[in-house]
């Protein structure tokens, strides 16, 4: 199973939990903050091995597993073992080694899944309007018989 990573970004998850405790007793704001905090913690718990996942591959810095609600015939999520709250649009040069480890693992998964010859898509969703529903850095590895452009 996966091994837990560093604490980078822990403050954001902790502050979300604090906001849930300190926020209004009722209302949509509290429910939204609670949902975001729970979603953030899911990937962290997957990396720690506390939440079951269908592991595909892993390396020292990243973990790949099958999406529990696949959008394509092959749909694998690649997440950093380091807890990074946010999305790809929040990253900077300091995250280069983590991104390289994620990309290398995605290439390995594509080869294992037999996708290198026919092609595959690697996607970082940035922002809720683009389908980013879990506020923890993750990469989608997608493979289908034929993919069109522009993406749908």
């Amino acid at each position: 199973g996966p091994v837990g990573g560093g604490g980078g970004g822990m403050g954001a998850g902790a502050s979300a939990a604090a906001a849930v405790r300190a926020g209004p007793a009722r209302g949509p704001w509290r429910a939204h903050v609670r949902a975001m905090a729970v979603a953030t913690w899911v990937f962290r718990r997957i990396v720690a091995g506390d939440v079951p996942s269908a592991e595909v591959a892993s390396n020292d810095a990243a973990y790949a597993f099958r999406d529990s609600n696949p959008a394509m015939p092959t749909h694998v999520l690649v997440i950093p073992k380091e807890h990074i709250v946010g999305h790809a649009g929040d990253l900077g040069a300091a995250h280069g080694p983590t991104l390289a480890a994620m990309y290398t693992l995605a290439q390995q998964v594509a080869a294992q899944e037999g996708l290198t010859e026919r092609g595959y898509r690697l996607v970082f969703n940035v922002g809720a309007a683009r389908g980013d529903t879990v506020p923890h850095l993750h990469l989608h590895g997608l493979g289908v018989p034929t993919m069109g452009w522009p993406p749908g």
Side-chain angles (χ1 to χ4, degrees), residues 5-141:
M10 286 280 301
S15 64
V20 169
R21 289 190 300 274
R26 294 179 191 34
W29 178 87
R30 182 178 172 91
H32 171 75
V33 172
R34 182 179 301 279
M36 294 301 280
V38 169
T40 299
W41 298 328
V42 167
F43 282 175
R44 181 180 169 151
R45 292 183 64 213
I46 287 170
V47 168
D50 297 335
V51 171
S53 63
E55 181 176 351
V56 178
S58 67
N59 61 27
D60 289 343
Y63 179 71
F65 61 99
R66 299 205 183 278
D67 192 305
S68 61
N69 187 24
M72 304 280 176
T74 301
H75 190 167
V76 174
L77 297 177
V78 180
I79 61 175
K81 289 182 178 177
E82 175 185 4
H83 185 61
I84 300 176
V85 176
H87 52 65
D90 297 329
L91 302 180
H95 294 98
T98 299
L99 290 169
M102 292 173 68
Y103 184 79
T104 301
L105 188 59
Q107 290 175 311
Q108 176 187 331
V109 168
Q112 284 176 208
E113 298 288 315
L115 300 173
T116 53
E117 291 297 317
R118 63 183 178 179
Y120 54 96
R121 186 169 285 157
L122 299 177
V123 177
F124 282 109
N125 292 320
V126 178
R130 295 291 164 241
D132 188 12
T133 58
V134 179
H136 182 288
L137 181 64
H138 61 286
L139 172 66
H140 296 261

